[in-house]
Amino acid sequence: MAPKVNVPMDFGRHLIGSPTHSNLKLNTSEGGEVRASSVILSFNSPVIDHMTTTLHMTSVDMLEFSKPAVQLLVDAAYSGTAEGITRDIFRDINKIANVFEVSWLAEKCAEYFNEVADSVKTPSYTELLYLFEEAGFVFENLKTKDYLNITFKKIAMLRWKQEFIEKYLENADRLSTQKLDMVIELAGSEVNCIVQTLTNQLSVLLKVQGPSLPVSSEYLLDNLDLSLCLASNSALFNRLFSSLQVLPNENIRWAFELVLKSTSNLSSPTLPRCKSLPNMYHQINLNVTFDQFMYWLSVSEDVTSLMMAFDALGTWAHNNYILESKYLTNANGSVFASKLTEMVQQRGWSLLPSEFADQKVSIVMAALNLSPFCSTSNEKSPYVVINCIEKCKKPLSLLSKEAKLKFHFKHPSVTTCTLPGDCGFILKTVPSEATLWTLRLCTEKEDYLGETVHFHDEIRVEK
């Protein structure tokens, strides 16, 4: 093993090609040959170090690489610089650096690729194609998506997805499935970029060349989430399948299954119409001691957030004081606050929104200040605060009878709304025996007649 030397290092360019020092022969493509010092290359590459020091090799076959790229490896190892990287040899020198584990040279190649990407200021198919192809080569051979991510980001930043995909798929039948997968990944949720291109191509191709579906088109349609197209542009979706109507009988079943898959995928992300919103704590044993309750709270898989922990506390305290005539003291409240602080850190719960900072949770004979459990106004909270229109100082008395609670809430997916009143929803309390009340989300139009809020009954969740 070569002694530890910090590379890159300038060993001297004047040593390059020296007959005395060049004891290692590197065989390149097309019968080329480059000679170098095995010691200097070993300092830079642990792979070459193993070949020469352990295996005693005096010749290394690098037949898949061009002679200029191998010469650049030698120049870089001797000089400690990566000068001379060009687009023509980038692919080879980058693979050489990674295969032979010349880590500092691999970093220089990554820097070069970033510089090329940064230099593309305006949409240019030639420039973006170079990035796309090189990134694809790196992914295929080195199994890293770093270069692809840079390329996708550049194309998206230039807002040129549709144009690039349309031009790239002009010769789709010559593309490997890996390249087609890259196109799908580039499109992301904007599947219409691909669907539009395929629809235009197939509407002409199937008429000119006959009802024979290109393999590339079938692969893309099989692997695209067409439900996104159906949801965002049903007219385009219909145009696509109208163009497929001329397919022979053996392909019609495939097209039919494609429609079924698209519609089933469309319905799955839609929130179902809720019947009731049960209180999960009705199902647990509330007749436990304070210490037992706190232990359960710290390990329960049902309690997944700080908000739910406070809900559990309120339910437990109500059961033990009002129903069982037990007392919860201020001492219990301070212990709860201390243990809950530890629990938040242990379970990684997010803090409550800053709007709760001036609120208190009544635990009968103790009032727990929520301020220590709230984020600052500048911190991003995972919670959405929805203000209830109705005000009630005695929620337990409200929940003991049937009542409506109206909320103002506009879902982010609702961009435009022309319905009268404000976007929101109504929860209806449904009391039953003892305190086992439930809430029902009102989803029927009749529930909102004469009300100041209206309900959007289908809201899609983002994937």
Side-chain angles (χ1 to χ4, degrees):
M1 180 178 292
K4 184 66 176 177
V5 173
N6 291 326
V7 290
M9 176 182 288
D10 185 1
F11 292 97
R13 290 177 181 269
H14 64 283
L15 297 176
I16 297 175
S18 168
T20 306
H21 299 93
S22 303
N23 64 321
L24 181 64
K25 184 172 71 170
L26 307 175
N27 302 312
T28 71
S29 63
E30 300 179 354
E33 178 186 306
V34 175
R35 287 193 167 272
S37 165
S38 61
V39 175
I40 293 178
L41 290 189
S42 294
F43 285 147
N44 286 270
S45 166
V47 175
I48 293 179
D49 180 26
H50 176 73
M51 288 178 170
T52 56
T53 306
T54 304
L55 303 180
H56 307 296
M57 295 172 61
T58 58
S59 177
V60 176
D61 286 338
M62 304 177 72
L63 302 179
E64 65 175 297
F65 304 114
S66 66
K67 183 176 180 179
V70 176
Q71 185 63 60
L72 180 58
L73 166 67
V74 174
D75 293 349
Y78 276 70
S79 67
T81 66
E83 298 174 0
I85 299 179
T86 63
R87 296 191 182 199
D88 292 336
I89 63 174
F90 168 77
R91 178 176 295 190
D92 273 0
I93 191 61
N94 185 45
K95 187 174 180 180
I96 289 174
N98 283 275
V99 169
F100 289 92
E101 300 179 15
V102 187
S103 56
W104 71 268
L105 185 57
E107 292 175 4
K108 292 296 181 182
C109 289
E111 291 176 10
Y112 174 82
F113 188 85
N114 269 296
E115 289 171 3
V116 173
D118 289 341
S119 69
V120 182
K121 304 297 184 184
T122 57
S124 166
Y125 181 70
T126 303
E127 295 292 313
L128 295 175
L129 179 62
Y130 173 80
L131 295 175
F132 195 79
E133 291 293 298
E134 294 304 321
F137 180 84
V138 170
F139 175 60
E140 181 178 5
N141 290 273
L142 303 178
K143 311 306 178 187
T144 174
K145 285 191 173 182
D146 293 345
Y147 290 77
L148 275 178
N149 293 334
I150 294 171
T151 303
F152 292 164
K153 184 178 179 181
K154 172 58 67 172
I155 295 175
M157 187 180 69
L158 294 174
R159 298 183 179 180
W160 222 58
K161 276 189 185 182
Q162 176 70 63
E163 294 82 357
F164 180 85
I165 289 174
E166 185 175 332
K167 199 161 183 63
Y168 191 74
L169 290 180
E170 285 180 357
N171 299 303
D173 275 348
R174 299 179 184 176
L175 300 176
S176 65
T177 55
Q178 182 198 323
K179 293 293 179 65
L180 296 176
D181 286 336
M182 287 166 51
V183 173
I184 294 174
E185 189 170 353
L186 169 62
S189 61
E190 300 174 52
V191 297
N192 291 353
C193 294
I194 300 177
V195 176
Q196 180 73 61
T197 300
L198 290 180
T199 303
N200 294 340
Q201 289 179 351
L202 293 174
S203 60
V204 175
L205 191 64
L206 294 178
K207 291 179 182 178
V208 175
Q209 298 184 7
S212 178
L213 187 67
V215 175
S216 60
S217 299
E218 183 175 352
Y219 182 86
L220 287 169
L221 292 174
D222 274 333
N223 290 278
L224 280 174
D225 185 355
L226 293 177
S227 67
L228 297 175
C229 174
L230 178 58
S232 60
N233 192 336
S234 58
L236 176 59
F237 182 87
N238 292 333
R239 276 184 56 211
L240 169 65
F241 283 93
S242 293
S243 67
L244 298 177
Q245 288 180 352
V246 299
L247 292 175
N249 292 337
E250 57 265 27
N251 291 120
I252 290 299
R253 179 180 177 84
W254 166 82
F256 178 70
E257 291 176 348
L258 204 58
V259 173
L260 287 180
K261 184 174 74 170
S262 304
T263 53
S264 63
N265 286 348
L266 177 67
S267 60
S268 58
T270 305
L271 294 178
R273 299 170 77 84
C274 299
K275 295 302 180 183
S276 65
L277 306 176
N279 186 331
M280 59 171 281
Y281 300 116
H282 289 163
Q283 310 301 322
I284 65 173
N285 179 18
L286 295 172
N287 298 313
V288 294
T289 66
F290 178 77
D291 289 336
Q292 291 172 330
F293 166 74
M294 291 302 298
Y295 173 76
W296 171 82
L297 204 59
S298 68
V299 299
S300 173
E301 294 182 358
D302 294 328
V303 184
T304 59
S305 70
L306 182 56
M307 188 76 75
M308 294 177 69
F310 280 120
D311 190 14
L313 170 65
T315 306
W316 179 83
H318 170 69
N319 179 80
N320 280 272
Y321 175 71
I322 295 180
L323 300 183
E324 303 296 335
S325 299
K326 299 175 183 177
Y327 285 89
L328 190 65
T329 66
N330 282 303
N332 292 127
S334 60
V335 171
F336 177 83
S338 176
K339 290 190 175 183
L340 190 59
T341 300
E342 296 178 6
M343 207 177 299
V344 169
Q345 297 175 348
Q346 174 189 340
R347 304 198 61 177
W349 288 338
S350 298
L351 296 177
L352 298 176
S354 57
E355 289 85 348
F356 285 79
D358 59 350
Q359 302 294 317
K360 293 182 179 180
V361 172
S362 176
I363 44 180
V364 189
M365 295 190 68
L368 188 63
N369 191 344
L370 294 186
S371 180
F373 302 99
C374 295
S375 61
T376 66
S377 57
N378 296 326
E379 294 175 339
K380 186 177 181 181
S381 172
Y383 296 102
V384 175
V385 179
I386 305 175
N387 294 321
C388 182
I389 303 172
E390 311 297 334
K391 301 294 182 182
C392 178
K393 294 183 178 179
K394 296 182 178 181
L396 291 177
S397 63
L398 173 65
L399 296 172
S400 65
K401 60 184 179 180
E402 184 171 305
K404 285 185 175 181
L405 299 174
K406 287 176 282 188
F407 294 82
H408 283 150
F409 176 63
K410 187 173 183 180
H411 194 277
S413 67
V414 179
T415 55
T416 58
C417 178
T418 58
L419 297 176
D422 296 319
C423 297
F425 58 89
I426 295 175
L427 295 181
K428 182 183 292 186
T429 62
V430 184
S432 59
E433 57 184 88
T435 57
L436 301 181
W437 51 268
T438 60
L439 293 174
R440 294 176 66 88
L441 173 63
C442 297
T443 59
E444 304 298 334
K445 292 183 179 179
E446 293 75 13
D447 295 322
Y448 292 85
L449 293 176
E451 299 292 352
T452 57
V453 296
H454 59 261
F455 177 71
H456 295 273
D457 64 350
E458 287 191 357
I459 296 295
R460 299 196 171 285
V461 295
E462 296 181 358
K463 288 187 175 182

Short mmCIF file of all heavy atoms in Angstrom, two decimals, residues 68-102:
data_model
loop_
_atom_site.label_atom_id
_atom_site.label_comp_id
_atom_site.label_asym_id
_atom_site.label_seq_id
_atom_site.Cartn_x
_atom_site.Cartn_y
_atom_site.Cartn_z
N PRO A 68 -7.15 10.44 -24.82
CA PRO A 68 -7.11 11.78 -24.21
C PRO A 68 -7.62 11.79 -22.77
O PRO A 68 -7.09 12.52 -21.92
CB PRO A 68 -8.01 12.61 -25.13
CG PRO A 68 -7.94 11.93 -26.45
CD PRO A 68 -7.86 10.47 -26.11
N ALA A 69 -8.66 10.98 -22.47
CA ALA A 69 -9.20 10.95 -21.12
C ALA A 69 -8.21 10.31 -20.15
O ALA A 69 -8.01 10.80 -19.02
CB ALA A 69 -10.53 10.20 -21.09
N VAL A 70 -7.57 9.22 -20.56
CA VAL A 70 -6.58 8.55 -19.71
C VAL A 70 -5.37 9.46 -19.51
O VAL A 70 -4.80 9.54 -18.41
CB VAL A 70 -6.16 7.21 -20.33
CG1 VAL A 70 -5.04 6.56 -19.49
CG2 VAL A 70 -7.36 6.26 -20.42
N GLN A 71 -4.99 10.18 -20.56
CA GLN A 71 -3.87 11.11 -20.43
C GLN A 71 -4.20 12.22 -19.45
O GLN A 71 -3.35 12.67 -18.68
CB GLN A 71 -3.52 11.70 -21.80
CG GLN A 71 -2.28 12.60 -21.80
CD GLN A 71 -1.02 11.85 -21.43
OE1 GLN A 71 -0.63 10.90 -22.11
NE2 GLN A 71 -0.36 12.26 -20.34
N LEU A 72 -5.48 12.66 -19.47
CA LEU A 72 -5.89 13.70 -18.53
C LEU A 72 -5.82 13.18 -17.09
O LEU A 72 -5.45 13.93 -16.17
CB LEU A 72 -7.32 14.16 -18.84
CG LEU A 72 -7.90 15.25 -17.93
CD1 LEU A 72 -7.01 16.49 -17.94
CD2 LEU A 72 -9.31 15.61 -18.34
N LEU A 73 -6.14 11.90 -16.88
CA LEU A 73 -6.00 11.31 -15.54
C LEU A 73 -4.55 11.41 -15.08
O LEU A 73 -4.29 11.80 -13.93
CB LEU A 73 -6.44 9.84 -15.58
CG LEU A 73 -6.05 8.99 -14.35
CD1 LEU A 73 -6.80 9.45 -13.12
CD2 LEU A 73 -6.29 7.51 -14.61
N VAL A 74 -3.65 11.06 -15.95
CA VAL A 74 -2.22 11.10 -15.60
C VAL A 74 -1.79 12.53 -15.32
O VAL A 74 -1.12 12.82 -14.32
CB VAL A 74 -1.38 10.48 -16.73
CG1 VAL A 74 0.11 10.66 -16.44
CG2 VAL A 74 -1.71 9.00 -16.89
N ASP A 75 -2.17 13.46 -16.21
CA ASP A 75 -1.81 14.87 -16.02
C ASP A 75 -2.33 15.39 -14.69
O ASP A 75 -1.62 16.12 -13.97
CB ASP A 75 -2.39 15.72 -17.16
CG ASP A 75 -1.73 15.40 -18.50
OD1 ASP A 75 -0.70 14.70 -18.50
OD2 ASP A 75 -2.25 15.86 -19.55
N ALA A 76 -3.59 15.02 -14.35
CA ALA A 76 -4.19 15.49 -13.10
C ALA A 76 -3.46 14.90 -11.90
O ALA A 76 -3.20 15.60 -10.90
CB ALA A 76 -5.67 15.10 -13.07
N ALA A 77 -3.11 13.62 -11.97
CA ALA A 77 -2.42 12.97 -10.85
C ALA A 77 -1.05 13.59 -10.62
O ALA A 77 -0.62 13.78 -9.47
CB ALA A 77 -2.28 11.48 -11.13
N TYR A 78 -0.34 13.95 -11.69
CA TYR A 78 0.99 14.54 -11.57
C TYR A 78 0.93 16.00 -11.09
O TYR A 78 1.76 16.43 -10.29
CB TYR A 78 1.71 14.48 -12.92
CG TYR A 78 2.42 13.19 -13.21
CD1 TYR A 78 1.70 12.02 -13.47
CD2 TYR A 78 3.81 13.11 -13.25
CE1 TYR A 78 2.34 10.83 -13.75
CE2 TYR A 78 4.46 11.92 -13.53
CZ TYR A 78 3.73 10.78 -13.78
OH TYR A 78 4.37 9.60 -14.06
N SER A 79 -0.05 16.75 -11.62
CA SER A 79 -0.08 18.20 -11.36
C SER A 79 -0.96 18.60 -10.18
O SER A 79 -0.82 19.70 -9.64
CB SER A 79 -0.57 18.93 -12.61
OG SER A 79 -1.94 18.60 -12.88
N GLY A 80 -1.88 17.75 -9.81
CA GLY A 80 -2.80 18.10 -8.72
C GLY A 80 -3.90 19.04 -9.14
O GLY A 80 -4.58 19.62 -8.30
N THR A 81 -4.09 19.21 -10.47
CA THR A 81 -5.16 20.05 -10.98
C THR A 81 -5.97 19.26 -12.00
O THR A 81 -5.51 18.26 -12.54
CB THR A 81 -4.60 21.32 -11.67
OG1 THR A 81 -3.89 20.94 -12.85
CG2 THR A 81 -3.68 22.08 -10.72
N ALA A 82 -7.19 19.75 -12.26
CA ALA A 82 -8.07 19.08 -13.22
C ALA A 82 -8.25 19.92 -14.47
O ALA A 82 -9.30 19.88 -15.12
CB ALA A 82 -9.42 18.79 -12.58
N GLU A 83 -7.22 20.68 -14.81
CA GLU A 83 -7.29 21.51 -16.01
C GLU A 83 -7.40 20.62 -17.24
O GLU A 83 -6.76 19.57 -17.32
CB GLU A 83 -6.04 22.39 -16.12
CG GLU A 83 -5.89 23.37 -14.96
CD GLU A 83 -4.55 24.11 -15.04
OE1 GLU A 83 -3.79 23.84 -15.99
OE2 GLU A 83 -4.29 24.93 -14.14
N GLY A 84 -8.21 21.05 -18.18
CA GLY A 84 -8.31 20.30 -19.42
C GLY A 84 -9.58 19.49 -19.58
O GLY A 84 -9.77 18.84 -20.61
N ILE A 85 -10.48 19.52 -18.57
CA ILE A 85 -11.76 18.82 -18.73
C ILE A 85 -12.60 19.57 -19.77
O ILE A 85 -12.80 20.78 -19.66
CB ILE A 85 -12.54 18.73 -17.42
CG1 ILE A 85 -11.75 17.95 -16.36
CG2 ILE A 85 -13.90 18.07 -17.64
CD1 ILE A 85 -12.46 17.84 -15.02
N THR A 86 -13.05 18.87 -20.78
CA THR A 86 -13.91 19.46 -21.80
C THR A 86 -15.15 18.58 -21.96
O THR A 86 -15.22 17.47 -21.42
CB THR A 86 -13.18 19.53 -23.16
OG1 THR A 86 -12.89 18.19 -23.59
CG2 THR A 86 -11.89 20.32 -23.05
N ARG A 87 -16.12 19.07 -22.70
CA ARG A 87 -17.34 18.29 -22.90
C ARG A 87 -17.04 16.97 -23.62
O ARG A 87 -17.71 15.97 -23.37
CB ARG A 87 -18.35 19.11 -23.71
CG ARG A 87 -18.82 20.38 -22.98
CD ARG A 87 -19.99 20.99 -23.71
NE ARG A 87 -20.42 22.23 -23.06
CZ ARG A 87 -21.61 22.79 -23.24
NH1 ARG A 87 -22.47 22.22 -24.07
NH2 ARG A 87 -21.94 23.89 -22.62
N ASP A 88 -16.07 17.00 -24.49
CA ASP A 88 -15.77 15.80 -25.29
C ASP A 88 -15.27 14.64 -24.43
O ASP A 88 -15.54 13.47 -24.75
CB ASP A 88 -14.73 16.12 -26.37
CG ASP A 88 -15.28 17.06 -27.43
OD1 ASP A 88 -16.51 17.09 -27.60
OD2 ASP A 88 -14.48 17.76 -28.07
N ILE A 89 -14.52 14.95 -23.39
CA ILE A 89 -13.95 13.86 -22.58
C ILE A 89 -14.53 13.80 -21.17
O ILE A 89 -14.09 12.98 -20.36
CB ILE A 89 -12.41 13.99 -22.49
CG1 ILE A 89 -12.03 15.29 -21.78
CG2 ILE A 89 -11.77 13.90 -23.86
CD1 ILE A 89 -10.53 15.39 -21.54
N PHE A 90 -15.53 14.65 -20.90
CA PHE A 90 -16.11 14.67 -19.54
C PHE A 90 -16.63 13.29 -19.15
O PHE A 90 -16.39 12.82 -18.04
CB PHE A 90 -17.24 15.69 -19.45
CG PHE A 90 -18.05 15.55 -18.19
CD1 PHE A 90 -17.56 16.02 -16.97
CD2 PHE A 90 -19.28 14.89 -18.19
CE1 PHE A 90 -18.29 15.85 -15.79
CE2 PHE A 90 -20.02 14.73 -17.03
CZ PHE A 90 -19.51 15.21 -15.83
N ARG A 91 -17.37 12.64 -20.05
CA ARG A 91 -17.99 11.35 -19.73
C ARG A 91 -16.93 10.34 -19.31
O ARG A 91 -17.06 9.66 -18.29
CB ARG A 91 -18.79 10.83 -20.92
CG ARG A 91 -19.42 9.47 -20.70
CD ARG A 91 -20.28 9.06 -21.87
NE ARG A 91 -21.43 9.94 -22.03
CZ ARG A 91 -22.45 9.68 -22.85
NH1 ARG A 91 -22.43 8.57 -23.60
NH2 ARG A 91 -23.47 10.51 -22.94
N ASP A 92 -15.85 10.26 -20.08
CA ASP A 92 -14.80 9.28 -19.79
C ASP A 92 -14.03 9.61 -18.52
O ASP A 92 -13.80 8.74 -17.66
CB ASP A 92 -13.82 9.20 -20.97
CG ASP A 92 -14.28 8.21 -22.03
OD1 ASP A 92 -15.36 7.61 -21.84
OD2 ASP A 92 -13.57 8.04 -23.03
N ILE A 93 -13.62 10.88 -18.37
CA ILE A 93 -12.80 11.24 -17.21
C ILE A 93 -13.61 11.14 -15.92
O ILE A 93 -13.10 10.75 -14.86
CB ILE A 93 -12.17 12.65 -17.36
CG1 ILE A 93 -11.12 12.89 -16.29
CG2 ILE A 93 -13.23 13.72 -17.33
CD1 ILE A 93 -9.96 11.92 -16.31
N ASN A 94 -14.92 11.44 -15.99
CA ASN A 94 -15.77 11.33 -14.81
C ASN A 94 -15.91 9.86 -14.39
O ASN A 94 -15.85 9.53 -13.20
CB ASN A 94 -17.14 11.94 -15.09
CG ASN A 94 -18.04 11.96 -13.85
OD1 ASN A 94 -17.60 12.33 -12.77
ND2 ASN A 94 -19.28 11.55 -14.02
N LYS A 95 -16.08 8.98 -15.36
CA LYS A 95 -16.20 7.56 -15.04
C LYS A 95 -14.87 7.00 -14.53
O LYS A 95 -14.84 6.21 -13.57
CB LYS A 95 -16.67 6.76 -16.26
CG LYS A 95 -16.97 5.31 -15.92
CD LYS A 95 -17.57 4.56 -17.10
CE LYS A 95 -17.85 3.10 -16.71
NZ LYS A 95 -18.43 2.32 -17.81
N ILE A 96 -13.77 7.43 -15.15
CA ILE A 96 -12.44 7.00 -14.67
C ILE A 96 -12.24 7.39 -13.22
O ILE A 96 -11.80 6.58 -12.39
CB ILE A 96 -11.32 7.62 -15.55
CG1 ILE A 96 -11.30 6.98 -16.93
CG2 ILE A 96 -9.96 7.44 -14.87
CD1 ILE A 96 -10.32 7.65 -17.89
N ALA A 97 -12.56 8.65 -12.90
CA ALA A 97 -12.37 9.16 -11.53
C ALA A 97 -13.17 8.35 -10.53
O ALA A 97 -12.71 8.09 -9.40
CB ALA A 97 -12.75 10.63 -11.47
N ASN A 98 -14.38 7.92 -10.91
CA ASN A 98 -15.24 7.17 -9.99
C ASN A 98 -14.86 5.70 -9.93
O ASN A 98 -14.82 5.12 -8.85
CB ASN A 98 -16.71 7.32 -10.41
CG ASN A 98 -17.29 8.68 -10.00
OD1 ASN A 98 -17.75 8.84 -8.87
ND2 ASN A 98 -17.26 9.62 -10.91
N VAL A 99 -14.55 5.10 -11.08
CA VAL A 99 -14.20 3.67 -11.10
C VAL A 99 -12.89 3.42 -10.36
O VAL A 99 -12.76 2.46 -9.60
CB VAL A 99 -14.12 3.17 -12.55
CG1 VAL A 99 -13.48 1.78 -12.60
CG2 VAL A 99 -15.50 3.15 -13.19
N PHE A 100 -11.91 4.32 -10.58
CA PHE A 100 -10.60 4.13 -9.94
C PHE A 100 -10.49 4.90 -8.62
O PHE A 100 -9.42 5.02 -8.05
CB PHE A 100 -9.49 4.55 -10.91
CG PHE A 100 -9.32 3.59 -12.06
CD1 PHE A 100 -10.00 3.77 -13.25
CD2 PHE A 100 -8.52 2.46 -11.92
CE1 PHE A 100 -9.86 2.87 -14.30
CE2 PHE A 100 -8.37 1.56 -12.96
CZ PHE A 100 -9.05 1.75 -14.16
N GLU A 101 -11.63 5.44 -8.16
CA GLU A 101 -11.76 6.05 -6.84
C GLU A 101 -10.78 7.20 -6.61
O GLU A 101 -10.17 7.33 -5.53
CB GLU A 101 -11.61 4.99 -5.74
CG GLU A 101 -12.67 3.90 -5.82
CD GLU A 101 -12.51 2.83 -4.76
OE1 GLU A 101 -11.76 3.05 -3.79
OE2 GLU A 101 -13.12 1.76 -4.90
N VAL A 102 -10.60 8.01 -7.64
CA VAL A 102 -9.83 9.25 -7.49
C VAL A 102 -10.82 10.31 -7.02
O VAL A 102 -11.37 11.07 -7.82
CB VAL A 102 -9.15 9.65 -8.81
CG1 VAL A 102 -8.21 10.83 -8.59
CG2 VAL A 102 -8.40 8.47 -9.43
#
